[in-house]
């Protein structure tokens, strides 16, 4: 519960948390100290912040951050998918929203009436949560990579994941990232995740980066791909014009959702 409050506010005082959770301030302080030892938050005088360790929060705690913006980005991504396409999706909250929006494309006709009987798509993903959501859709064919599941992102990683990807070709890869910079490219905090995501991107005819505006002009530990390898960026409507221009000058199409 405490981490969920932090995903909503990014910082919180002890007294405020105690009131919200209905517990004593002593309990909140003890829980904050415990979570700080696990590097899931940063203690401050009188409270805590997500701070610069927020990237490693488990996926379920990241969902609330920029939720509406991520949903809009997901809807914009889905509009790029045509029936019959093979779509790659790595793990993350924004790509999960894209997966949900893509699934809905086959649920309704073009005028929003009835089911679109002719619409199908194949999704290749290394994200267990995405595969689970899409498998129940009869119009979606789901291909899951092998690998070892990473508990914080639900992504399959490691050499087993690369074997199947070597044999596949994707029409489009929707790439979720931890950071995106106009010179450093798309990056991730976890180097093994970056490696698998890089391979998935290399198998795609088009690479579309999905990044909310808070990730722009930031960098993380491991590079996924260079800017020159990115065809399109879908970001939030609030993305600064000067940042958008820097990507567009390098031939990247930027869609603000």
């Amino acid at each position: 519960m405490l981490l969920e409050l932090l995903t909503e506010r990014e910082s919180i005082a002890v007294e405020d948390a105690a009131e919200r959770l209905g517990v004593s301030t002593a309990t909140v302080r003890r829980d904050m100290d415990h979570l700080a030892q696990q590097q899931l938050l940063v203690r401050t005088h009188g409270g805590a912040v997500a701070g610069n360790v927020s990237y490693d929060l488990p996926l379920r705690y990241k969902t609330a951050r920029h939720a509406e913006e991520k949903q809009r980005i997901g809807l914009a991504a889905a509009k790029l998918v045509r029936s019959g396409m093979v779509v790659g999706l790595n793990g993350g909250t924004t790509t999960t929203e894209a997966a949900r929006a893509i699934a809905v494309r086959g649920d309704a006709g073009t005028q929003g009436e009835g089911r679109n009987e002719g619409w199908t798509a194949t999704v290749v993903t290394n994200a267990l949560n995405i595969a689970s959501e899409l498998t129940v859709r009869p119009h979606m064919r789901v291909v899951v990579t092998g690998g070892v599941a990473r508990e914080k992102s639900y992504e399959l990683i490691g050499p087993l994941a690369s074997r199947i990807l070597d044999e596949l070709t994707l029409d489009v890869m929707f790439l979720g990232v931890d950071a995106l910079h106009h010179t450093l490219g798309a990056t991730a905090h976890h180097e093994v995740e970056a490696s698998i995501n890089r391979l998935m991107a290399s198998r795609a005819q088009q690479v579309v980066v999905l990044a909310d505006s808070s990730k722009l002009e930031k960098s993380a530990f491991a590079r996924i791909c260079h800017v020159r390898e990115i065809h399109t960026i879908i970001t939030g409507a609030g993305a600064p014009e000067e940042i958008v221009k820097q990507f567009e000058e390098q031939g990247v199409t930027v869609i603000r959702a």
Side-chain angles (χ1 to χ4, degrees), residues 181-195:
H181 193 277
H182 78 281
T183 59
L184 301 175
T187 52
H189 292 293
H190 193 277
E191 68 278 6
V192 183
E193 283 184 6
S195 176

Side-chain angles (χ1 to χ4, degrees), residues 39-50:
Q39 297 186 333
L40 292 175
L41 54 75
V42 175
R43 286 287 271 124
T44 63
H45 180 69
V49 297

Side-chain angles (χ1 to χ4, degrees), residues 131-145:
S132 177
E133 288 201 29
L134 297 185
T135 297
V136 298
R137 304 278 185 167
H139 53 280
M140 304 294 295
R141 182 186 184 198
V142 180
V143 179
V144 183
T145 69

Side-chain angles (χ1 to χ4, degrees), residues 174-204:
F174 290 121
L175 182 65
V177 302
D178 289 320
L180 181 64
H181 193 277
H182 78 281
T183 59
L184 301 175
T187 52
H189 292 293
H190 193 277
E191 68 278 6
V192 183
E193 283 184 6
S195 176
I196 295 301
N197 295 341
R198 183 184 310 118
L199 178 57
M200 293 182 75
S202 74
R203 306 303 300 164

Side-chain angles (χ1 to χ4, degrees), residues 15-143:
E15 291 77 10
D16 192 10
E19 181 179 349
R20 289 285 302 276
L21 298 175
V23 297
S24 68
T25 55
T27 297
V28 170
R29 290 191 181 93
R30 183 169 60 250
D31 288 347
M32 285 182 174
D33 290 341
H34 179 65
L35 291 170
Q37 290 173 1
Q38 298 179 65
Q39 297 186 333
L40 292 175
L41 54 75
V42 175
R43 286 287 271 124
T44 63
H45 180 69
V49 297
N52 58 7
V53 299
S54 61
Y55 68 84
D56 212 22
L57 287 174
L59 187 68
R60 64 185 179 276
Y61 295 122
K62 294 181 180 180
T63 304
R65 296 189 174 208
H66 313 285
E68 292 185 3
E69 184 179 12
K70 292 175 181 179
Q71 290 171 0
R72 293 195 301 269
I73 291 171
L75 289 170
K79 292 179 181 178
L80 302 180
V81 179
R82 301 184 305 276
S83 180
M85 290 183 71
V86 180
V87 179
L89 288 162
N90 66 328
T93 52
T94 311
T95 51
T96 298
E97 292 296 341
R100 291 167 178 163
I102 292 168
V104 171
R105 290 289 304 276
D107 287 341
T110 55
Q111 302 302 317
E113 299 177 0
R115 189 177 173 280
N116 189 351
E117 295 292 344
W119 201 96
T120 62
T122 297
V123 167
V124 179
T125 184
N126 68 327
L128 294 175
N129 64 308
I130 290 176
S132 177
E133 288 201 29
L134 297 185
T135 297
V136 298
R137 304 278 185 167
H139 53 280
M140 304 294 295
R141 182 186 184 198
V142 180
V143 179

